[in-house]
């Protein structure tokens, strides 16, 4: 059987789909390792290599909003240097090299961020593939490539030199590897089309836990990432308070006035909810869709407006861009979602059994060695 080394950085929405694809590969008998942040070790019992500690991961996540301020290649270089990310790149390449078996290994990395996969591919002569968890990662790829070429080249080349590799001569070619998109064709066609091989949606939250939520509440959440608009919870909670309906809040910090959880198992919780108000991350959006739970999205930054618009084009979400946020407008959309008796039937027309996406991804990755 083959060796699959999966490198994923970011929040749960970024990493857990990789863990699910890894599980599908491991179930087929392959030797699989998820190379990622320490807190995600429990999601990869088949094989895990930590790139940091839990404390360092929390510290790094606290700085991720700085990425929103990156406008020039020099800003990205300074961010990498300040956060020690070139050193991390070197350590990741070492982890991959330790687990490599010649002729049997496929290197899999989160689109654009997992540069260690590309360096290791040159070092080891192994095939590499990008995996994108949302279409916007491919939409911004030209800008990301320019930032990498102009901002990261010196740091990446220094890492390469430490492994006896020459500097990158052609950054466009260096970054151009086969790409999988973890979304279906109808979602791809609802916005700017990608050229990725599509697998269908891959959720990472199949953890088997259960919870009982009374009263079909509105669930308000900001997800697990750090790049939230500073007014998100202010507007979301004010809107929920305007609707005469039970409310449950899932957030890192305790919220007064509502039932509060630090985390909930969404596969169990969402089918019990009358609606969900969230930030638009693709993991939460897809779980709501699979659960048949009407969703309202306050979308800002990263992939969120694009995700919201793609769902809205099929009447699968109501959403507001940040410049239109008020408690009243959000409450109006929440009420419409709560009374949308046809949402479940519409959503069912756009979903399939959740194992389908991971299995298709596994098929595509196995084909890299044939």
């Amino acid at each position: 059987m083959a060796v699959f080394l999966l490198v994923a950085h970011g929040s749960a929405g970024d990493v857990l789909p990789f863990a699910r694809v890894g599980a599908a590969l491991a179930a087929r008998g392959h030797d699989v390792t998820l190379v990622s942040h320490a807190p995600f070790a429990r999601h990869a019992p088949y094989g895990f290599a930590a790139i940091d500690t839990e404390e360092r991961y929390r510290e790094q996540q606290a700085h991720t909003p700085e990425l929103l301020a990156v406008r020039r290649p020099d800003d990205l270089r300074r961010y990498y240097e300040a956060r020690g990310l070139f050193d991390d790149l070197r350590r990741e390449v070492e982890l991959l090299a330790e687990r490599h078996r010649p002729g049997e290994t496929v290197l899999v990395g989160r689109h654009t961020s997992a540069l260690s996969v590309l360096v290791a591919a040159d070092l080891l002569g192994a095939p590499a593939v990008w995996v994108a968890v949302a279409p916007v990662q491919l939409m911004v790829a030209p800008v990301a490539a320019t930032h990498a070429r102009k901002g990261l080249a010196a740091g990446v080349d220094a890492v390469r030199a430490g492994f006896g590799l020459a500097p990158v001569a052609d950054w466009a070619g260096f970054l151009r590897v086969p790409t999988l998109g973890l979304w279906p064709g109808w979602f791809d066609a609802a916005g700017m089309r990608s050229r990725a091989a599509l697998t269908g949606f891959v959720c990472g939250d199949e953890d088997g836990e259960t919870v009982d939520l009374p009263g079909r509440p509105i669930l308000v959440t900001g997800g697990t990432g750090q790049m939230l608009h500073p007014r998100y919870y202010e507007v979301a909670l004010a809107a929920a308070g305007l609707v005469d309906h039970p409310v449950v809040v899932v957030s890192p910090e305790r919220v007064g006035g509502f039932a509060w959880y630090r985390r909930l198992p969404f596969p169990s919780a969402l089918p019990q909810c009358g609606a969900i108000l969230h930030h638009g991350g693709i993991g939460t959006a897809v779980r709501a869709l699979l659960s048949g739970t009407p969703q309202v999205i306050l979308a800002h930054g990263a992939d969120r407006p694009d995700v919201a618009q793609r769902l809205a084009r099929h009447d699968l979400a109501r959403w507001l861009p940040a410049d239109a946020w008020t408690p009243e407008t959000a409450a109006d959309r929440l009420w419409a979602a709560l009374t949308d008796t046809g949402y479940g039937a519409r959503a069912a027309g756009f979903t399939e059994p959740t194992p389908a996406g991971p299995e298709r991804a596994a098929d595509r990755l196995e084909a890299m060695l044939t």
Side-chain angles (χ1 to χ4, degrees), residues 117-165:
V117 160
L118 303 188
V119 176
D122 284 350
L123 177 67
L124 306 172
V129 59
W130 286 133
V131 172
V133 300
V136 77
Q137 292 175 355
L138 303 182
M139 293 163 59
V140 303
V143 174
T146 298
H147 279 197
R149 176 173 57 84
K150 293 184 176 181
L152 303 182
V156 172
D157 284 344
V159 172
R160 290 173 61 88
F163 292 102
L165 295 172

Side-chain angles (χ1 to χ4, degrees), residues 86-145:
F86 290 119
D87 290 335
D88 289 353
L89 172 61
R90 174 183 53 78
R91 285 193 294 271
E92 287 176 22
V93 175
E94 291 171 347
L95 287 171
L96 297 175
E98 290 169 4
R99 290 160 174 78
H100 168 64
R101 291 205 303 260
E104 301 178 20
T105 301
V106 177
L107 303 169
V108 185
R110 181 185 173 278
H111 193 279
T112 307
S113 74
L115 292 174
S116 59
V117 160
L118 303 188
V119 176
D122 284 350
L123 177 67
L124 306 172
V129 59
W130 286 133
V131 172
V133 300
V136 77
Q137 292 175 355
L138 303 182
M139 293 163 59
V140 303
V143 174

Side-chain angles (χ1 to χ4, degrees), residues 213-268:
L213 298 177
R216 294 197 60 77
I218 298 168
L219 192 152
V220 178
T221 180
T224 60
Q226 300 293 321
M227 289 197 259
L228 279 179
H229 191 288
R231 292 185 61 238
Y232 172 79
Y233 275 114
E234 172 193 339
V235 175
L237 296 176
L242 292 175
V243 179
D244 184 17
H245 199 83
V247 175
V248 167
V249 179
V250 178
S251 64
E253 305 298 329
R254 181 175 293 278
V255 173
F258 300 102
W260 171 80
Y261 295 83
R262 190 178 302 278
R263 63 176 299 275
L264 278 177
F266 278 10
S268 170

Side-chain angles (χ1 to χ4, degrees), residues 20-46:
R20 286 286 292 163
V21 172
L25 289 165
R28 300 181 182 195
H30 297 298
D31 183 353
V32 184
T33 302
L34 176 64
V35 180
S36 189
H37 308 291
F40 298 107
R42 69 183 181 88
H43 296 281
Y46 43 81

Side-chain angles (χ1 to χ4, degrees), residues 320-344:
L320 288 167
D323 60 3
W325 291 2
T326 68
E328 292 76 17
T329 54
D332 286 345
R333 282 159 178 75
L334 263 180
W335 182 250
L338 281 170
T339 56
D340 185 352
T341 57
Y343 184 87

